[in-house]
């Protein structure tokens, strides 16, 4: 069975510093990986995905994620954090023709 | 472009009352549709998904049901609400050719 783990419940980063939100996964076969962001009382917004190809994936709002097959990780990164990046972030995994499994979420706090 | 609507945005209902939440998608045809529940601003629980009109798969046995009377309409129902049904209900859609899901704005349900 496939699974996804977000080991940090909360991440605090000073504004202007680089940020990383961690995600590891377990799936048999080739994984399809996603990141979503959720602002308070809103639905999830799709940020980026990895299906195949380049291991570094660029997405919305300056975010990027790096697929690392040997470490089964798909960490979300941004070079310079903004206060407006403060939100709840979800990593998700699936494989072809299967359901998406979401992580429990990581709350990102950007400190001004 | 595609848009997804949910209503109502908020709902307060007494225990034992019926429930009907509606989700509609515009700008696409034959989408896969999903209902999720999110408790306490954290992880997502997949409740139902549908790959076509009248085709509903249930992920969690409970007092909720779902229906898909039209191609782009997905309804979540209950005959008698429980306190434990309180939460944030999210509808999502995906196409048959890509894997990412796109979420609606959500319905905040409080059962009193």
């Amino acid at each position: 069975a496939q699974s996804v783990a977000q080991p940090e419940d909360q991440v605090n980063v000073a504004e202007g510093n680089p940020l990383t939100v961690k995600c590891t996964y377990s799936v048999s076969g080739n994984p399809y990986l996603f990141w979503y962001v959720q602002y308070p009382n809103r639905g999830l917004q799709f940020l980026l995905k990895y299906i195949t190809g380049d291991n570094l994936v660029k997405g919305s709002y300056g975010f990027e994620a790096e697929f690392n097959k040997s470490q089964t990780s798909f960490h979300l990164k941004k070079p310079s954090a903004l206060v407006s990046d403060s939100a709840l972030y979800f990593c998700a995994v699936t494989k072809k023709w299967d359901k998406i499994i979401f992580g429990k979420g990581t709350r990102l706090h950007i400190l001004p | 472009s595609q848009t997804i609507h949910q209503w109502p945005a908020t709902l307060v209902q007494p225990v034992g009352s019926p429930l009907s939440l509606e989700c509609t998608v515009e700008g696409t045809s034959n989408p896969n549709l999903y209902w999720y529940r999110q408790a306490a601003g954290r992880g997502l629980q997949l409740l139902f998904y549908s790959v076509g009109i009248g085709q509903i798969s249930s992920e969690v046995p409970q007092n909720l049901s779902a229906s898909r009377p039209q191609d782009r309409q997905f309804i979540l129902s209950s005959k008698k609400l429980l306190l434990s049904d309180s939460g944030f209900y999210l509808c999502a859609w995906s196409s048959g050719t890509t894997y990412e899901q796109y979420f609606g704005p959500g319905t905040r349900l409080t059962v009193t």
Side-chain angles (χ1 to χ4, degrees), chain A residues 9 32 34 36 38 41-44 46 49 51 88 90 94-97 99-100 102 104-107, chain B residues 34 36 38 40-44 46 49 59 88 90 96-106 108:
Chain A
D9 282 346
Y32 299 163
F34 311 87
Y36 288 81
Q38 185 181 32
N41 296 310
R42 303 286 293 275
L44 278 67
F46 170 69
K49 67 179 177 182
I51 302 296
L88 186 58
F90 290 95
T94 188
K95 60 181 182 179
K96 198 171 186 180
W97 309 126
K99 293 185 291 290
I100 287 182
F102 287 86
K104 293 185 177 181
T106 298
R107 197 165 297 280
Chain B
Y34 310 84
Y36 290 89
Q38 184 179 29
R42 275 300 190 187
L44 300 176
L46 178 62
Y49 68 95
E59 289 294 300
F88 193 49
L90 291 161
T97 55
T98 61
Y99 293 90
E100 65 268 24
Q101 295 178 12
Y102 297 93
F103 286 77
R108 174 76 59 191

Side-chain angles (χ1 to χ4, degrees), chain A residues 16 20 26 28 30 41 53 66 68-69 71 77 94 100 105:
Chain A
T20 299
S26 174
S28 58
N30 295 320
N41 296 310
E66 185 167 11
N68 188 316
K69 188 173 184 177
Q71 297 185 8
K77 300 180 180 182
T94 188
I100 287 182

Side-chain angles (χ1 to χ4, degrees), chain A residues 30-79:
Chain A
N30 295 320
Y32 299 163
L33 296 155
F34 311 87
W35 276 102
Y36 288 81
V37 61
Q38 185 181 32
Y39 297 99
N41 296 310
R42 303 286 293 275
L44 278 67
Q45 294 179 36
F46 170 69
L47 280 178
L48 52 81
K49 67 179 177 182
Y50 171 83
I51 302 296
T52 187
D54 194 348
N55 289 344
L56 184 63
V57 179
K58 295 187 183 297
S60 306
Y61 312 121
F63 284 95
E64 59 188 27
E66 185 167 11
F67 171 63
N68 188 316
K69 188 173 184 177
S70 63
Q71 297 185 8
T72 62
S73 67
F74 190 56
H75 300 331
L76 182 70
K77 300 180 180 182
K78 188 174 182 180

